[in-house]
Every structure is written in structure tokens, then in C-alpha cells.
């Protein structure tokens, strides 16, 4: 198991856009358009992820299947709290769950991309993810836990058949 904390506001990996060229068209490199991430903050976040991961793990890149568990902690906005005599008290109408941007899947994608070449060879190795967005009253951060999964000799199709879910 590898576990570490990344301090700072978690960032999502945004959509990619081609870099426009003056006079029309797009900047190319080797015949392919040059792409940039729509989220200008994702690179700094990915650098923080890499740094925290390198401090927690200095072994060889993992080669097998991996489970990634991550909890992203976001500070509640001021609008969730009362004012005047209710200052600092959470409003009854404040959401219990974090259901706004950034999207959870894009947060995980950014994290997975950042850990490629640092913890694992490729983020395709991640076979299972457990992820959540949570509210915090303290620092914004991500708590990351990585498990190496055993290499199973039974395929999922065979396991499904054994459980009675396979084709007859």
C-alpha cells in the first residue's frame, strides 16, 4: 500500500483544445495539432501530486493491476454559512454532499495522469477506483491510497459463469 496527501485545491483535467495559429488553423508539431489543457491550474496540481507521490514512494514503477482510492476535500463556500448572529454556523440548506464542479471523474483522471511514470507505468493499470468529494472546514487536499491487486488466474467471464451470470 502506498498512501500520501496532496495539499492544495484539487484540480480536474479539463478538455483539450488545439492551440490556434494566427491567420487560421492550428499550431502543429510533427504533423499533429498541439493541444493544451482547458484548465490552466491542472499542471501545477499535477506537479504537486507528483512531488507528494515521490516523497511517499521511491520504488520501481508498479507493473500489475492497481486499485486507486482517493478522497478530494474542498472548502465549503461562504454561502453555506449563516451571517449576523448565525455567522459561522452551517445553514440547514447547505448541501451535505459535494455535488458541484469539479467533476469527480475529471479529478480522478488528472490524478491518474500525474501518477503515470511516478507510481505506475500507465494509468490503464488502474482496474478499480474508489473516489469521493468531501466538504472540509480546513485545508483543501486529496488523500490518495494505492493498492497493488493480486493477479487473478480466473477471468471475470469465468467468475461470472461460476456465479450463475454466464451464458447457457
Amino acid at each position: 500500500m502506498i498512501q500520501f496527501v496532496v495539499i492544495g485545491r484539487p484540480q480536474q483535467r479539463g478538455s483539450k483544445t488545439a492551440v490556434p495559429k494566427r491567420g487560421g488553423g492550428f499550431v502543429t508539431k510533427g504533423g499533429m495539432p498541439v493541444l493544451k489543457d482547458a484548465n490552466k491550474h491542472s499542471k501545477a496540481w499535477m506537479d504537486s501530486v507528483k512531488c507528494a507521490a515521490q516523497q511517499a514512494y521511491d520504488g520501481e514503477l508498479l507493473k500489475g493491476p492497481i486499485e486507486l482510492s482517493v478522497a478530494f476535500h474542498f472548502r465549503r463556500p461562504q454561502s453555506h454559512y449563516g451571517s449576523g448572529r448565525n455567522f459561522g454556523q452551517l445553514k440547514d440548506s447547505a448541501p451535505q454532499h459535494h455535488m458541484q464542479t469539479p467533476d469527480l471523474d475529471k479529478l480522478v483522471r488528472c490524478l491518474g495522469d500525474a501518477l503515470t511514470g511516478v507510481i505506475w507505468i500507465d494509468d490503464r493499470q488502474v482496474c478499480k477506483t474508489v473516489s469521493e468529494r468531501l466538504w472540509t472546514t480546513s485545508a483543501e487536499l486529496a488523500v490518495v491510497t494505492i493498492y497493488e491487486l493480486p493477479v487473478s488466474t480466473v477471468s471475470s467471464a469465468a467468475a461470472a459463469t461460476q456465479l450463475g451470470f454466464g451464458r447457457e
Side-chain angles (χ1 to χ4, degrees):
M1 176 179 77
I2 304 164
Q3 190 168 42
F4 56 93
V5 175
V6 186
I7 304 295
R9 183 173 179 82
Q11 296 294 320
Q12 66 182 355
R13 189 71 177 213
S15 301
K16 304 287 187 219
T17 55
V19 177
K21 181 167 56 172
R22 281 188 181 169
F26 299 99
V27 175
T28 59
K29 184 174 183 179
M32 299 295 294
V34 174
L35 302 176
K36 69 175 185 173
D37 199 311
N39 180 358
K40 64 183 179 185
H41 303 290
S42 68
K43 181 168 179 0
W45 168 250
M46 290 173 71
D47 289 343
S48 295
V49 169
K50 290 175 186 179
C51 183
Q54 288 168 335
Q55 289 176 0
Y57 181 73
D58 65 353
E60 289 186 30
L61 294 179
L62 303 180
K63 295 178 175 81
I66 293 166
E67 175 182 336
L68 171 64
S69 177
V70 58
F72 298 102
H73 297 256
F74 291 92
R75 213 173 292 120
R76 283 185 177 274
Q78 191 60 43
S79 62
H80 287 193
Y81 296 97
S83 58
R85 66 184 173 100
N86 294 320
F87 180 78
Q89 293 181 10
L90 196 59
K91 292 179 181 177
D92 290 340
S93 61
Q96 180 181 355
H97 300 284
H98 190 293
M99 299 184 301
Q100 56 205 80
T101 59
D103 292 354
L104 185 57
D105 59 332
K106 290 183 178 179
L107 290 166
V108 172
R109 184 172 76 185
C110 190
L111 184 73
D113 288 348
L115 294 174
T116 296
V118 178
I119 298 289
W120 50 63
I121 296 169
D122 192 281
D123 57 357
R124 290 180 293 184
Q125 294 169 249
V126 178
C127 300
K128 180 178 180 182
T129 59
V130 178
S131 57
E132 60 184 337
R133 290 177 299 185
L134 303 168
W135 294 117
T136 184
T137 55
S138 57
E140 294 184 308
L141 53 84
V143 179
V144 181
T145 308
I146 298 163
Y147 303 94
E148 288 184 86
L149 296 173
V151 178
S152 175
T153 57
V154 179
S155 73
S156 60
T161 302
Q162 290 173 357
L163 294 171
F165 296 108
R167 291 188 176 179
E168 304 258 340

